[in-house]
Amino acid sequence: MSSPGLRERKKQKTRWAIQEHAVRLFVQQGYDATTVEQIADAAEISPSTFFRYFKTKEDVIIQDRYDELMAEQIRTAPAELSPLEVLRRAFARSFQAISDEEADQALQRARLQLSVPALRMRALDNLQDSIRYLAAPLAERLGRPADDFRCQAYVGACVGALMNALMAWVREGGDAKQALALINEAISVLEEGP
């Protein structure tokens, strides 16, 4: 995977700054009480710049780079791995690729998604998009069309197990090492049964 150019790195830095300020304000003031204008002001950008990065206020919490990380891991996994091994590796390596600060922000964003009904609904909507996005490179590995139903169903089952692991991670305090163990355990349930 090639590293992004200067322009892309600057865009990502701005995106992260907006998200960091949004999360801080949502925690301090509450989601509903925080306006896009307040987030933009804290991030030292204009509201129109906010909307170039995020279509809605919900998106500042919902959008992340994790699907891209996982899809890249699926694409680059060794050919001899089974589909389950590919997804387990993609989930674990993607989580390992983020910094401690990013993991802390992900934890705060997850807590907001669980506590704010509008964010819960938006996260649920986003989940199906994520499943389709991750199923496409798996289908490609298997020589199937990107929209293969069986690949989408399989990835959906694995993402369901991953979500269960991440919700346990949020409830239990957000220790990064624990998250990796929970991810592995959740995927092993698909492999071995309950």
Side-chain angles (χ1 to χ4, degrees):
M1 189 164 116
S2 63
S3 58
L6 178 62
R7 184 176 185 179
E8 284 306 310
R9 288 193 312 269
K10 283 179 144 183
K11 283 175 142 179
Q12 187 57 55
K13 187 177 177 182
T14 300
R15 176 179 289 278
W16 285 338
I18 296 168
Q19 284 184 305
E20 182 179 324
H21 289 292
V23 168
R24 180 182 51 77
L25 288 169
F26 293 154
V27 169
Q28 286 175 350
Q29 302 176 177
Y31 177 79
D32 291 327
T34 303
T35 66
V36 167
E37 289 75 14
Q38 290 171 322
I39 297 166
D41 187 52
E44 299 180 350
I45 60 167
S46 68
S48 63
T49 299
F50 175 95
F51 288 114
R52 280 199 297 273
Y53 286 88
F54 301 100
K55 291 180 184 176
T56 67
K57 186 169 114 173
E58 291 91 356
D59 285 342
V60 78
I61 295 299
I62 302 302
Q63 287 183 2
D64 57 44
R65 66 187 188 114
Y66 309 132
D67 288 352
E68 294 167 14
L69 289 172
M70 289 185 282
E72 182 64 21
Q73 289 295 327
I74 293 168
R75 279 191 282 281
T76 61
E80 66 272 8
L81 296 182
S82 72
L84 189 61
E85 290 168 329
V86 167
L87 292 173
R88 179 190 315 227
R89 177 182 182 273
F91 295 160
R93 286 194 172 193
S94 297
F95 194 84
Q96 290 168 328
I98 64 174
S99 68
D100 289 343
E101 294 85 9
E102 195 172 352
D104 287 343
Q105 188 184 85
L107 178 63
Q108 290 178 337
R109 288 177 27 239
R111 286 179 177 149
L112 285 165
Q113 288 175 33
L114 291 175
S115 65
V116 177
L119 293 175
R120 262 197 323 269
M121 289 306 299
R122 183 67 179 85
L124 186 60
D125 288 343
N126 189 60
L127 191 58
Q128 188 60 42
D129 293 337
S130 294
I131 289 167
R132 283 192 298 271
Y133 185 81
L134 296 174
L138 182 66
E140 182 181 319
R141 287 178 62 88
L142 299 173
R144 298 181 184 174
D147 64 349
D148 182 74
F149 174 81
R150 291 183 65 85
C151 286
Q152 289 179 3
Y154 189 77
V155 169
C158 291
V159 166
L162 174 66
M163 295 307 301
N164 193 55
L166 294 177
M167 293 306 106
W169 174 65
V170 170
R171 282 191 310 271
E172 295 174 19
D175 178 77
K177 289 180 184 168
Q178 182 188 34
L180 291 171
L182 288 166
I183 290 168
N184 193 50
E185 184 177 350
I187 297 300
S188 73
V189 170
L190 294 175
E191 189 173 43
E192 302 161 9

